[in-house]
Amino acid sequence: MISAVPLEWVLILASGLFCVGLFGALSRRHAVSMLMGIELMLNAVNINLVAFWRYTQPDEVGGMIFALFVIVVAAAEAAVGLAMAIAIYRTWQTVNVDSVDSLRG
Amino acid sequence: MDLVVQIMFGVTGLLILGAAFMVVSVRNIIHAALWLITCFFGIAMLYLLLQAEFLAIVQILLYIGAVAVLVLFAVMLTRQIDDPDEPVLFQRWRSTLLITAILFAAVLVPTIYNHNWLIFADPQPAFAGPRELGFAFMNAYLLPFQIAAVLLLAALVGAIIIAMEDQEQRRVRVLTLAEEVALRGEREPSPPTRPANPQPASSSSNPTPPPAPEQAGEGA
C-alpha cells in the first residue's frame, strides 16, 4: 500500500468524501440527513489521520489514538444530535429544518 | 503486486465515494441510512488497506454497530409524512454544490499536490496494534482517555434528557401514520397543500406500512 499508492491519492479520496459530506450537511432538508452528512465529514477526517499516521509516522501510535478520539466524539455527537432531532419532531411534528424557524425575527 | 493494491484501492475509493453520493442524493431516508452503512464498510476496507486493523474493527463496531443503528432508530421515530413533490434539497442546493466543487477542485486538490509531504523514503512496517494502543492509552494518553470517558457519560445523560418526554405529554404509544395525519389536520385548520384525510392511502410517499402500536416512553 505504501509503495503502491501515493499519499496524495488517499488525501484526495478523503477530501472528495469531505466535500460530498459538506454538500449533504448543507443542502438536505431532513435533520437526520444533515447528521449523516456530518458523519461523512468526520469519516473523511479520520481517513486523513490514518493516512498521515501510516505514511509519515508508522512507528508512533499518536495518529491512531487521535482517530479513535475522533470516533468517540462522533459517537457522542450523533447521540446528542439524534436526540435533538427526536425532540424537534415531538414539538413540531416535522424534522424539516426549514419549518423549524420559531427564532426567526 | 503494486497493480493489485492499486486496483483494490481504486475499487474501495469508488465504493466509498459512490455510497457517499447516494447518501446525499437518494430520496428515501432509510435508503440513505443503508448507503451510509455501505460507505462505513468501504472506509473500514480502506483502513485494512492502510494496515490499521484495530481501527477497522472499531469502525465496524462503533459506526456500523452503534451510529448507523442510532440513525435508523431516529429515522423510525421521526416518521415524516411528506408529499412526493416536495424537494428533498434546499432551494439553494445548486450554489452549495458549486461551493463544494470549488472547494474540492480549487483549494483542496492543488494544496495536496503542491505541498511537500515528509514521507519516509523506505516503507516501514506498521507499529500500532491493539497491544501498543492499549499501552499508550494507559500511559501517555491516560488523561485524554479519562476525558473521553467523561464526555461519553455527559453525552449519554444529555441525550436521555433531551429525548425524554414530559410526564403529562407522554403518549402511550407511537401514533400510526393515519393518526398522525389526522393530528396534523387538527393542528393546521386549513393546510394549503395537505388535506386532512385519515386514510392510510396517504402513505404512498412512505413505503413502510404503519407499524403496529408500540409501547413508547416506557422506562424513560
Side-chain angles (χ1 to χ4, degrees), chain A residues 11-82:
Chain A
L11 295 185
I12 283 177
L13 171 61
S15 59
L17 184 61
F18 183 87
C19 287
V20 171
L22 183 65
F23 173 71
L26 288 180
S27 64
R28 294 283 291 221
R29 305 169 80 106
H30 200 286
V32 181
S33 294
M34 293 175 64
L35 282 169
M36 286 188 204
I38 293 171
E39 292 295 328
L40 288 180
M41 288 160 72
L42 286 165
N43 270 287
V45 172
N46 253 351
I47 291 176
N48 264 2
L49 287 172
V50 176
F52 281 131
W53 162 75
R54 185 67 191 95
Y55 280 86
T56 65
Q57 280 194 326
D59 51 346
E60 302 273 341
V61 294
M64 293 260 295
I65 298 267
F66 211 135
L68 284 170
F69 280 125
V70 170
I71 288 179
V72 167
V73 173
E77 171 262 335
V80 175
L82 293 171

Side-chain angles (χ1 to χ4, degrees), chain B residues 96-141:
Chain B
T96 311
L97 184 63
L98 192 67
I99 288 170
T100 49
I102 287 175
L103 175 70
F104 179 69
V107 179
L108 290 176
V109 173
T111 309
I112 287 169
Y113 267 104
N114 293 329
H115 194 274
N116 183 24
W117 305 104
L118 296 171
I119 303 175
F120 281 129
D122 50 338
Q124 297 188 357
F127 173 70
R131 180 186 170 91
E132 287 82 12
L133 277 175
F135 197 74
F137 267 129
M138 284 298 127
N139 283 283
Y141 297 94

Side-chain angles (χ1 to χ4, degrees), chain B residues 123-174:
Chain B
Q124 297 188 357
F127 173 70
R131 180 186 170 91
E132 287 82 12
L133 277 175
F135 197 74
F137 267 129
M138 284 298 127
N139 283 283
Y141 297 94
L142 185 58
L143 184 63
F145 188 64
Q146 303 285 346
I147 291 175
V150 175
L151 173 74
L152 279 179
L153 178 68
L156 181 71
V157 176
I160 292 174
I161 293 286
I162 291 172
M164 190 165 60
E165 290 180 83
D166 288 338
Q167 200 70 31
E168 60 268 19
Q169 291 180 355
R170 172 179 294 184
R171 296 196 215 120
V172 178
R173 55 183 172 80
V174 174

Side-chain angles (χ1 to χ4, degrees), chain B residues 54-75:
Chain B
F54 183 70
L55 208 59
I57 301 297
V58 168
Q59 171 87 13
I60 290 179
L61 274 179
L62 262 176
Y63 268 109
I64 300 171
V67 173
V69 172
L70 206 62
V71 167
L72 282 173
F73 264 100
V75 171

